[in-house]
Every structure is written in C-alpha cells, then in structure tokens.
C-alpha cells in the first residue's frame, strides 16, 4: 500500500515517530503525543453545559520536563510537506515554543520562530535534543549562569499538580527574565488561573538554583498570606516564616508578610530592622493595589529594598493618574486574560441577569415636605440608583432585591454559594436582614445560612474560611461590601449579586473573578451574575479584556439593550488594621439619632423611607457569543443562526447527515460552534424529538416526527424482514433503543453489552449473526438511513 493510501495516524507511526526516535528523542520522557494543552471551552446554553474540543498538538518535544522545545504537526501524504506548519506556529505561540515542524511522511519543513528561517529537512536530518538545545542557547544568547537557572526543574513530588500550559509559559518567562538580570517584572493572569501556584514555582526555581537566596512575599490581607502558607507554599515548610508583630527573625529564607506589619503604625518603619540588601527577590501579590501608587506608604517598603528583584502579580493591572502598574514594573512579561481562560476551558463561563427596578430606572423624587422614618425632612431633588443606599434608603427596594435573589435560588439551588456585594457595611446588614425574612425556613435550620462578612464584624469574618471551603455547606449567602472583592478563593461561588455602584474597572474585574473558578467535581461548571445596578455595562468597556461567556433565555418581548461603554478609574487602598481592608462608605448608621453629616447640620447621612413601593420593571438579559460579541437573540434564534452558518440549505444538511459514518460527529461539530441541542429541547419542551428532527424543525421549518414515530415507520415498512433470526431481534432491539434514547446510543458497539441485548446473545454472537463486525457496523448505518428515510 502506497503512502497516499495511509491515514495520518499511519504516517505518524511509520515515518514521523521513527524519524524522531532515530534522532535521539526519548519517546517516553521527551515526546508527548496528541498533547492536549487546553481543557476545551465550556459551552453554556440555558442551564446546560458541554465541553468543546481541546487543542491538541500532534507532537511536543521537551528538552527537560519544564522546557518544551519543538512542535510537530503531521498530515497524511495527500497534503504537502509543509501543510501543517501554520497550525504548528499557532500552537507554538500559545506554548512559547521556538521551533516548529510539519511533515507528511516524506520530509520535514522546519521554521525557527526566533530567527524566522524556514528550511526543508529529510527524515534523517531531524535534529537531536542536544543539537536543537544548543541552537536555542545560541539563538537566545543565553550564557552559562542563565542556563543553570533556566534548566532548574519545577518542584514536583508524586501526585503533585503539574503546570498548565499558560502557567508553564508564565513561570518560564519570569524565571528567564530574572536570570537575564531584569529587576522589575509584571505578571498578569486572570483570577482563578492559579497565580499563587505560579508564584510558588517561580520562587522555588530561583531559590533552588541559588540565584535568589532570601525572598519576601508581600500581600495586603491576612487571608492571602494564610491561604498561601497552608496551600501552594507548603513545600517551603521549615524554610518559611510569616512576619508577625515587630520582631523580624533573620534565620529564614522565605518570608511572607503584610505591608501593614512592615510599615508599622505611627510612622514606625519595622522593615528597617533588615538591611536594604537583605532580600534578593520580592514578589508582590495583588500588586495593582497600594504598591502601585507612588505616594503610598507601602511603596516605601519596595523603595527600601530597591536592590532586590521585584516581581508583581495581578489579575488587574491599574493605570490611572494616581497609580500605575506599568510605570513601576514595565510591560507585562506575560498576560493570560479572563477571555483566554474561558475559551481554553480553565475558567467558568457565566450568565448575566440584569434586573431593572422602577425607582432605579425612573428616579424618585419625594413630595414637598416629606419626612423620613426618623422625622428628617428629605431634601427635595430627584434620587437615582447612585443615591440609593448611599444617601437615601427605600426599605421596599431592599425587600424586592432580597426577594429576587431568593426567587432565583429557589428556581436553581438554594444551597448555591452566593456573594451579595452591597454599597457599604450598613447596607450589607440591612440586606442580611431582608434575606433572612425571605428565607426564614433555612435560616431557622441554621443561622449560618446567611452571614454578613464585612471588615467590622468578627462573627462574619470567622465564617469566611468556611464559606470558601468547598466541603463546608455553610454559610451559603455571604453579604459584604468590600471585604470579599479580591483575594478570596471562593471556588464554589455560583451566584454573584451586584447591589453596589461600580465605577472602577479594576474592582469590577476583581468582583467577577470571585466566581470564575471551576469545580466540576462538585458540579460547578458556570456561575450567574445578577445585576441590580447596571454595573454589567462595564462588560462593554474596551478595557474589559476578557468578555464574558454569558447566556440566558429571554422571556417576553422586551428587547435587550446593548450596554453602553463606561470607563472609570476609581480604586481603593485597603490599608487598615485587622482585616487590612478599607471598606468604603463603611459608616455604620442604624437609625436617625446619630447620623448627622460632618458639618454638624441637622441632616442625616442617609434618609430612610418606609412607605414607598418598588416594583420590578424588567428582567433584561444579555449573552455573548463565542467571539465575545454581545448579541440579543433568544436561545432559539441563536441556535438557528449557528446551524444555518454550517448548513445553509436543508439539502446540505441532509447530504452530510446521510453520508456521515456516525451522526453524533455532526452533533459534536455543531456543539463546538455553540449549539447545545439539549438546551433547546429543554426550552421548547420537545424531549420526544431527536437531534435530526430538532435541527430540521428549528432551522428549516420541517414538521418533526418523534423518535417513536420514526421507529414505528421503519417497522411498518417491514424493514426488519430483510434479516432473519438473531439479526432481526437485534435490529428490533436497536430500534426500540433509538425510540427511547436517541441515535447516539445505537452508534456505539458498547450498546450490545446492555441487558436488552444480553437476552439475545453475547456481543460476539450478535456480531457473528451479521457476518462479522464490519457487516454489523454497515447494518447499523443502513438502519440509521432507514430511520431518517422520510
């Protein structure tokens, strides 16, 4: 058999793999075949999710376990030698690989992505690991000292997690930059992508190689330091210490500290107990906050230890007049955005539900002389959503919001971990009470069902650890203002409620990041954002780099408005005491007795109104397609459009369907483009239709038949009588299986292992009744075409 008749897999096995191994590559240790480096985007339609295709490189060649050096893309011999080169380059750019190859079994085409050079090689000329590595050192101009650091392996013990592709790129680039003497490095990676794990591996490799001997990890919240010590940094145990009080022990190698502990109080600068050159490396967690501000007291710590290498890590670099991540650290060494994380399938997609309340959308103006609940005359002006709960409180508005949150949880899962972000601490307490009134039954069972977790509340803060623990059922609903906006690793958060006015893109991204972590083993594959303040308008801002993957079904005829782009550069500097968080607007005002303004006038900080009714005017919804563009179609319209993009006419679809060896392959292809037929079936209530009829009905307006009707039609045409004995029993059982479960169930030969077929005979006996496996597979294909005959 000539090469032209061989499959791609045969070409790889007979020609490409031998060429690699003959060149000296260890097939078990250095070569990864069918290397899947993404997880496959989670496609969300309605309440149904499915995984898209993973990105796979045919071959990735590793010089060392942490050092991918080359990619090979293979094609069958009906393609040219270099046909796979462009695909290989795309993968190489993701994996940060410098040398790419393409082959059809005749030869290799090599492209050096450092120099740009392209050349053709015979199969025998494929470079050895050492040859390619030495070329890399020369192309990158790497000296012996740098080489030692670059080759330092990752920390690994049996059953320890291995880095994802983007984590490997981020760690390798940072280590390479520090090895080359870069003294300020910025690493940007979306919330939920494992920045602490990346930080650990960076520190470990620089420390283990001997390049950096004393290292300081800086954060601004206790929870960030404690999570780090007990989590990813645990392998440093014995070499690591947490700086506490004012005594600094110089006998350790890895130090973790809060800015606040180092800067001290009343101008006492504790960090000066160390010599300025004590630390070789400082890693700054969440570096978009205080340390980005030139005038910040926290910057003094970095300025004092200026001779050390400074590595900043953040999901949200900040660029404002007051603070700049880029000015201090320079351009990011690597960026991995929220959008990339969702597209790769490492982060959870999400829905957005926008709820419009009448007083928010229309405004509220009190009648002349109106007084609030505490007897204060209300200033005569129009109040809008920016005022509510900041300067004026409408009790019924709080009740309605709590009611809608509860309604959503009752429709989905009342034990979904939920964070409600409020305007300030006082608003958070009122919202907690309103939610208790809406959930009296579950609150009576366990008062930890709803907890206020804010900077001033020790009882609530004590429950934060339980809230973020995926094994702990309580608390379920956490009501907060600023404390949980960042650094809280709440993997099981399934609902985020925006009941605060957000003008800062940095804060918005951090809040959204509270829900982006995936936890599929616990059933979390997506989350929902419920927006009462139009804060989700920020999704349309050009500075929001990771557009959300949001889908929701639209009820009623109300059109969905595109959100208007809105910027904002407000940020806050969390730098107070125990919690290291400054809760903006945190004045705790419970009534009218002491709520005077700062000028001493007889005017409260907030007005409280108990006799105004608030109603829901609209529940507007939006979702984003796979390209990140906002669209306004219903789930049905969206599905129809995507099917027609693949198959413009009914004939196109029918020809493809009939010719397909497996019908499920067509469904899988549509799924990758965002079509989830199970979600459409749920929406339409057409559970009795199979995929074929659903597609024909939805996209081409064909009257559908149910699965049972199709199965009965086959029997009426006496199709079964073309077979005899055992074969006829099997075909009838396959028809019954199709009528109940659909076409995908009968396409897999594993169906013969089910009890319905065990009564007929063993799989071997059944296949033999058709004249062998090939004949059985052909019989199933003919049966499928008979099922869809009309």
């Amino acid at each position: 058999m000539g090469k032209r008749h061989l499959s791609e897999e045969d070409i790889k096995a007979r020609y490409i793999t031998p060429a690699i191994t003959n060149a000296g590559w260890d097939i078990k240790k250095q070569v990864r075949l069918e290397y899947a480096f993404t997880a496959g985007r989670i496609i969300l339609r309605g309440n149904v999710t499915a995984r898209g295709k993973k990105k796979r490189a045919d071959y990735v060649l590793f010089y060392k376990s942490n050092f991918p050096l080359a990619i090979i893309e293979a094609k069958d011999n009906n393609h040219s030698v270099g046909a796979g080169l462009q695909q290989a380059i795309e993968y190489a750019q993701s994996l940060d690989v410098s040398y790419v190859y393409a082959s059809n079994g005749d030869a290799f085409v090599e492209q050096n992505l450092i120099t740009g050079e392209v050349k053709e090689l015979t199969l025998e000329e494929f470079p050895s690991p050492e040859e390619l590595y030495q070329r890399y050192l020369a192309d990158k101009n790497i000296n012996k000292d740098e080489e030692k650091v670059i080759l330092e392996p990752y920390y690994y013990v049996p059953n320890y997690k291995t880095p994802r592709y983007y984590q490997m790129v981020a760690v390798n680039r940072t280590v390479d930059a520090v090895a080359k003497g870069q003294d300020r490095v910025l690493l940007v990676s979306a919330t939920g992508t494992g920045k602490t794990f990346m930080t650990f591996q960076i520190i470990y490799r620089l420390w283990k190689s001997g390049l950096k001997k004393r290292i300081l990890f800086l954060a601004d919240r206790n929870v960030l330091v404690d999570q780090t010590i007990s989590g990813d940094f645990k392998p440093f145990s014995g070499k690591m210490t947490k700086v506490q009080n004012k005594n600094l022990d110089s006998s350790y190698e890895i130090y973790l500290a809060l800015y606040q502990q180092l800067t001290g109080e009343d101008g006492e600068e504790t960090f000066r107990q160390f010599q300025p050159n004590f630390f070789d490396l400082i890693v700054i967690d969440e570096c978009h906050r205080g340390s980005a501000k030139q005038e910040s007291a926290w910057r003094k710590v970095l300025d004092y230890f200026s001779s050390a290498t400074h590595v900043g890590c953040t999901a949200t670099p900040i660029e404002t007049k007051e603070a700049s991540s880029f000015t201090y650290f320079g351009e990011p060494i690597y960026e991995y955005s929220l959008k990339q994380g969702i597209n790769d399938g490492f982060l959870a997609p999400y829905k957005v539900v926008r709820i419009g309340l009448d007083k928010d959308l229309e405004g509220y103006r009190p009648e002349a002389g109106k007084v609030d609940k505490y007897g204060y005359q209300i200033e005569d002006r129009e109040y809008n959503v920016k005022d509510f709960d900041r300067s004026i409180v409408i009790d019924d508005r709080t009740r309605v919001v709590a009611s809608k949150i509860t309604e959503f949880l009752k429709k989905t899962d009342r034990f979904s971990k939920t964070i409600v972000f409020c305007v300030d601490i006082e608003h958070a307490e009122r919202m907690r009470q309103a939610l208790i009134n809406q959930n009296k039954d579950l609150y009576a069972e366990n008062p930890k069902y709803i907890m206020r977790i804010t900077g001033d509340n020790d009882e609530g803060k004590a429950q934060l650890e339980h809230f973020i623990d995926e094994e702990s059922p309580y608390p379920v609903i956490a009501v907060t203002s600023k404390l949980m906006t960042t650094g809280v690793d709440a993997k099981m958060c399934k609902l985020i409620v925006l009941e605060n006015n957000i003008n800062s893109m940095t804060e918005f991204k951090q809040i959204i990041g509270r829900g982006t972590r995936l936890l599929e083993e616990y059933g979390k594959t997506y989350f929902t954002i419920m927006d009462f303040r139009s804060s989700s308008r920020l999704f349309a801002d050009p500075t929001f780099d990771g557009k959300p993957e949001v889908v929701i079904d639209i009820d009623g005829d109300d059109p969905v408005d595109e959100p208007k782009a809105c910027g904002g550069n407000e940020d806050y500097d969390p730098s107070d005491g125990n919690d290291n968080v400054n809760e903006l607007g945190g004045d705790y005002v419970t009534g009218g007795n002491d709520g005077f303004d700062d000028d001493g006038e007889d005017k409260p900080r907030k007005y409280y109104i108990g006799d105004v009714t608030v109603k829901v005017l609209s529940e507007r919804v939006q979702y984003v397609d796979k390209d990140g563009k906002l669209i306004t179609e219903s789930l049905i319209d969206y599905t129809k459009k995507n099917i027609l993009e693949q198959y413009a006419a009914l004939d196109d679809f029918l020809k493809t369907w009939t010719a397909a060896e497996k019908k499920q392959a067509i469904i899988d292809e549509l799924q990758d483009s965002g079509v989830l037929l199970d979600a459409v079936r749920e929406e339409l209530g057409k559970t009795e239709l199979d995929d074929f009829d659903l597609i024909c009905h939805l996209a081409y307006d064909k009257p559908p038949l149910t699965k049972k009707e199709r199965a009965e039609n086959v029997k009426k045409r006496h199709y079964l009588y073309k077979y005899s004995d055992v074969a006829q029993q099997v075909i009838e059982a396959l028809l019954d299986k199709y009528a109940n479960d659909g076409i995908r169930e009968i396409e897999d030969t594993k169906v013969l292992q089910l009890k319905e077929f065990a009564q007929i005979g063993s799989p071997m006996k059944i296949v033999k009744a058709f004249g062998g496996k090939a004949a059985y597979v052909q019989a199933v294909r003919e049966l499928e075409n008979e099922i869809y005959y009309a």
Side-chain angles (χ1 to χ4, degrees):
M1 183 184 289
K3 280 186 182 179
R4 298 271 170 172
H5 299 287
L6 296 177
S7 68
E8 182 182 304
E9 289 305 311
D10 289 332
I11 291 291
K12 286 158 68 175
R14 294 190 188 188
Y15 299 98
I16 300 176
T17 301
I20 298 168
T21 54
N22 289 340
W25 293 89
D26 188 322
I27 197 71
K28 291 183 178 178
K29 294 181 179 178
Q30 293 181 300
V31 181
R32 299 191 191 175
L33 301 168
E34 289 294 310
Y35 181 61
F37 58 92
T38 71
R41 184 172 65 103
I42 292 181
I43 302 156
L44 171 62
R45 298 290 176 259
N47 294 316
V48 178
T49 60
R51 282 279 188 186
K53 287 181 182 176
K54 298 178 180 181
K55 287 185 179 178
R56 296 179 186 272
D58 289 333
Y59 298 81
V60 178
L61 309 184
F62 286 77
Y63 181 67
K64 299 289 184 184
S65 61
N66 63 313
F67 193 167
L69 198 51
I71 284 178
I72 306 171
E73 276 304 308
K75 297 293 179 186
D76 64 39
N77 202 250
N78 293 300
H79 291 81
S80 66
V81 177
L85 196 63
Q86 196 156 301
Q87 185 179 357
I89 291 170
E90 181 185 330
Y91 291 164
Q93 288 170 335
S94 293
L95 297 173
D96 228 17
V97 169
S98 299
Y99 305 99
V100 295
Y101 298 85
S103 180
N104 65 352
D106 288 338
F108 289 100
V109 172
E110 175 196 82
Q111 183 161 359
N112 182 332
L113 296 184
I114 303 170
T115 65
E117 181 185 2
V118 182
K119 62 182 178 182
E120 189 166 313
L121 308 172
T122 66
L123 294 178
E124 293 73 28
E125 290 176 320
F126 195 84
S128 70
E130 197 59 36
E131 180 186 344
L132 199 57
Y133 172 62
Q134 292 301 325
R135 196 193 310 174
Y136 175 83
L137 295 180
D139 287 341
K140 287 281 195 176
N141 193 26
I142 294 170
N143 63 37
K144 288 292 182 184
D145 290 336
E146 294 164 13
E147 183 185 359
K148 180 187 176 185
V149 180
I150 287 169
L151 290 181
E152 182 64 45
Y154 283 73
Y155 173 84
Y156 183 76
V157 291
N159 300 318
Y160 191 71
K161 55 189 173 184
T162 55
R164 294 169 176 168
Y165 86 89
Y166 65 86
Q167 293 173 334
M168 190 178 293
V169 173
V171 173
N172 288 352
R173 281 199 191 179
T174 305
V175 169
D176 292 358
V178 175
K180 280 189 168 292
Q182 188 171 327
D183 58 3
R184 300 291 180 267
V185 181
L186 178 62
L187 180 58
V188 178
S189 193
T191 300
T193 54
K195 284 193 297 299
T196 311
F197 174 68
M198 290 185 261
T199 299
F200 164 71
Q201 293 289 7
I202 289 166
I203 293 173
Y204 177 82
R205 289 180 60 197
L206 292 172
W207 172 67
K208 198 71 176 174
S209 69
L211 183 64
K212 302 295 181 184
K213 295 180 173 60
R214 285 201 180 94
I215 294 130
L216 172 64
F217 176 87
L218 269 178
D220 64 359
R221 297 193 180 185
N222 256 318
V223 66
L224 296 179
V225 173
D226 292 341
Q227 282 178 179
T228 301
I229 290 173
S230 61
D232 288 309
F233 278 37
K234 203 169 185 179
F236 285 140
S237 182
K239 304 288 185 180
M240 168 180 63
T241 185
K242 177 182 177 182
V243 176
Q244 300 191 72
N245 304 319
K246 298 177 182 179
N247 298 318
L248 304 183
D249 186 342
S250 61
S251 64
Y252 291 90
E253 295 174 66
I254 314 291
Y255 295 78
L256 295 91
L258 297 175
Y259 281 108
Q260 297 89 326
Q261 289 166 335
L262 292 181
T263 54
E265 299 174 358
D266 302 324
E268 182 184 348
E269 296 177 334
T270 310
F271 60 85
R272 294 187 184 276
Q273 291 183 34
F274 287 123
Q275 292 298 313
N277 62 353
F278 184 81
F279 293 112
D280 304 309
L281 173 68
I282 300 178
V283 177
I284 304 100
D285 192 41
E286 304 290 358
C287 68
H288 64 278
R289 293 211 291 267
S291 57
K293 297 181 181 179
Q294 194 167 356
E295 302 304 318
S296 169
W298 295 354
R299 180 67 72 84
K300 291 179 182 178
V301 178
L302 300 184
D303 290 342
Y304 182 75
F305 298 112
S306 60
S307 63
T309 300
H310 296 176
V311 176
C313 301
T314 182
T316 53
I318 186 170
E319 288 302 305
T320 71
K321 292 178 182 178
E322 294 79 26
S324 171
S325 300
F326 296 166
T327 299
Y328 187 80
F329 292 100
E331 289 294 318
I333 196 84
Y334 183 64
E335 290 185 78
Y336 188 72
S337 69
L338 184 59
K339 182 180 179 182
Q340 285 173 281
I342 291 172
N343 284 340
D344 286 345
F346 295 124
L347 295 180
Y350 45 95
K351 302 178 179 184
V352 175
V353 182
R354 295 180 67 185
I355 297 176
L357 306 179
D358 59 351
K359 298 299 183 289
D360 294 3
L361 299 173
E362 299 169 354
Y364 166 70
R365 183 173 183 179
E367 57 269 27
K370 184 175 178 63
V371 296
D372 77 349
K373 292 196 300 183
Y374 303 106
Y376 293 100
Q377 185 168 322
I378 303 171
E379 182 183 349
D380 182 17
R381 65 178 180 88
E382 186 170 292
Y383 296 88
N384 57 37
V385 70
K386 292 181 181 178
D387 298 305
F388 296 137
D389 302 293
R390 176 69 67 190
S391 57
I392 189 168
V393 175
I394 300 178
D395 288 345
D396 199 49
R397 189 187 177 286
T398 310
R399 181 195 64 79
V400 169
V401 170
S403 172
K404 295 305 292 183
I405 295 169
T406 304
E407 178 186 302
F408 177 85
L409 290 172
K410 285 181 175 178
K411 285 180 180 177
T412 53
D413 175 10
R414 293 185 75 185
F415 283 87
S416 292
K417 291 289 179 87
T418 300
I419 305 177
V420 184
F421 287 97
C422 296
V423 167
D424 57 22
I425 292 174
E426 186 267 346
H427 180 207
E429 175 56 27
R430 285 188 292 101
M431 184 59 67
R432 183 189 76 88
Q433 295 171 19
L435 283 164
I436 290 171
N437 285 334
Q438 296 291 329
N439 296 273
K440 294 175 185 174
D441 53 341
L442 294 184
Y443 189 80
E445 289 179 16
N446 192 323
K448 291 190 175 82
Y449 180 76
I450 301 165
M451 294 292 295
R452 172 166 63 88
I453 302 178
T454 50
D456 71 317
N457 186 266
D458 291 337
E459 293 78 14
K461 284 186 298 182
Q463 293 301 315
L464 181 56
E465 187 176 337
H466 298 293
F467 180 79
I468 64 180
D469 180 5
E470 52 265 28
E471 298 285 352
S472 177
Y474 296 99
V476 175
I477 302 175
V479 190
T480 189
S481 57
K482 294 290 183 187
L483 181 61
M484 298 176 71
T485 57
T486 184
V488 177
D489 192 12
K491 292 187 179 74
M492 280 304 291
C493 178
K494 291 185 178 180
L495 176 62
I496 288 177
V497 180
L498 303 179
E499 226 318 62
N500 53 345
N501 302 312
I502 305 173
N503 294 311
S504 162
M505 181 58 76
T506 299
E507 184 182 2
F508 180 65
K509 285 184 184 180
Q510 289 285 344
I511 286 174
I512 299 306
R514 296 315 99 209
T516 55
R517 289 163 174 82
L518 272 173
L519 214 63
E520 292 177 89
E521 62 269 35
Y522 287 88
K524 186 197 170 183
T525 54
Y526 70 94
F527 70 106
T528 304
I529 299 160
M530 182 175 284
D531 182 15
F532 290 92
R533 302 266 178 162
S534 292
S535 295
S536 55
R537 70 193 183 281
L538 292 170
F539 283 134
D541 192 299
T543 61
F544 186 82
D545 57 352
K547 302 276 195 312
E549 184 74 10
V550 288
V551 175
I552 193 162
D553 308 323
I554 298 176
D555 295 325
D557 299 322
D558 209 2
V560 177
D561 295 332
E562 297 264 347
K564 296 177 181 178
C566 176
N569 59 13
E570 294 177 15
D571 206 355
Y572 62 97
D573 186 359
S575 56
D576 69 349
N578 296 331
D579 307 286
N580 320 308
V581 175
N582 177 20
E583 302 251 18
L584 284 184
D587 297 314
Y588 203 101
V589 183
T590 55
N593 296 329
D594 58 356
F596 296 100
D597 69 4
D598 294 334
D599 296 328
E601 296 177 8
D602 191 13
K603 173 183 169 184
R605 287 193 177 94
K606 297 183 184 182
Y607 298 109
Y608 293 82
I609 302 174
D611 58 355
V612 171
T613 302
V614 175
K615 295 180 180 177
V616 175
L617 280 191
S618 63
E619 292 190 36
R620 300 189 172 192
V621 294
Q622 296 175 306
Y623 65 95
V624 178
D625 68 6
K626 60 183 181 295
D627 298 317
K629 295 180 180 178
L630 286 164
I631 54 177
T632 60
E633 298 142 327
S634 67
L635 175 60
I636 305 304
D637 291 340
Y638 176 85
T639 304
K640 180 176 180 178
K641 184 186 80 172
N642 273 270
I643 294 171
L644 292 174
E645 281 180 3
Q646 297 260 15
Y647 308 102
L650 177 60
D651 283 347
D652 298 333
F653 173 69
L654 293 177
K655 285 176 186 175
T656 306
W657 186 267
T658 303
E661 287 189 20
K662 287 195 173 183
K663 315 304 182 191
Q664 188 58 38
I666 296 173
I667 305 305
D668 291 343
E669 187 179 348
L670 285 170
Q671 179 176 295
D672 285 332
S673 68
V675 173
L676 295 191
L677 294 174
D678 287 341
V680 178
R681 244 188 298 273
E682 187 180 291
E683 166 84 1
L684 294 174
K686 301 279 188 182
T687 55
E688 73 282 1
L689 300 185
D690 79 350
D691 294 335
F692 174 85
D693 279 282
L694 194 59
I695 289 168
C696 291
H697 176 59
L698 203 63
Y700 309 108
D701 298 320
K702 299 292 291 181
L705 293 174
T706 66
K707 295 190 291 288
K708 288 185 178 176
E709 286 171 337
R710 287 196 173 276
E712 286 302 316
N713 286 344
V714 173
K715 292 178 182 179
K716 287 176 184 175
R717 291 196 293 271
H718 304 294
Y719 177 78
L720 273 64
Y721 296 134
K722 70 179 286 185
Y723 297 98
S724 59
D725 301 332
V726 172
Q728 187 179 116
Q729 293 178 56
V730 172
I731 293 296
E732 186 167 14
L734 286 170
L735 269 178
D736 291 339
K737 189 68 179 167
Y738 161 77
N740 291 322
D741 301 316
I743 200 71
R744 75 183 71 182
E745 296 300 323
I746 71 171
E747 289 193 321
D748 194 332
T749 54
K750 289 180 181 177
V751 72
L752 299 180
Q753 299 171 8
L754 298 177
K755 61 181 181 181
E756 301 97 299
F757 297 90
Q759 298 169 1
I760 302 171
S762 68
M764 190 175 293
K765 177 185 176 183
I766 289 172
V767 167
K768 192 174 180 181
F770 286 88
K773 185 176 180 180
Y776 169 78
V777 171
Q778 182 59 33
V780 173
R781 281 197 66 187
E782 289 177 6
L783 175 61
E784 289 176 338
N785 289 333
E786 190 68 24
I787 287 171
Y788 298 111
Y789 174 70

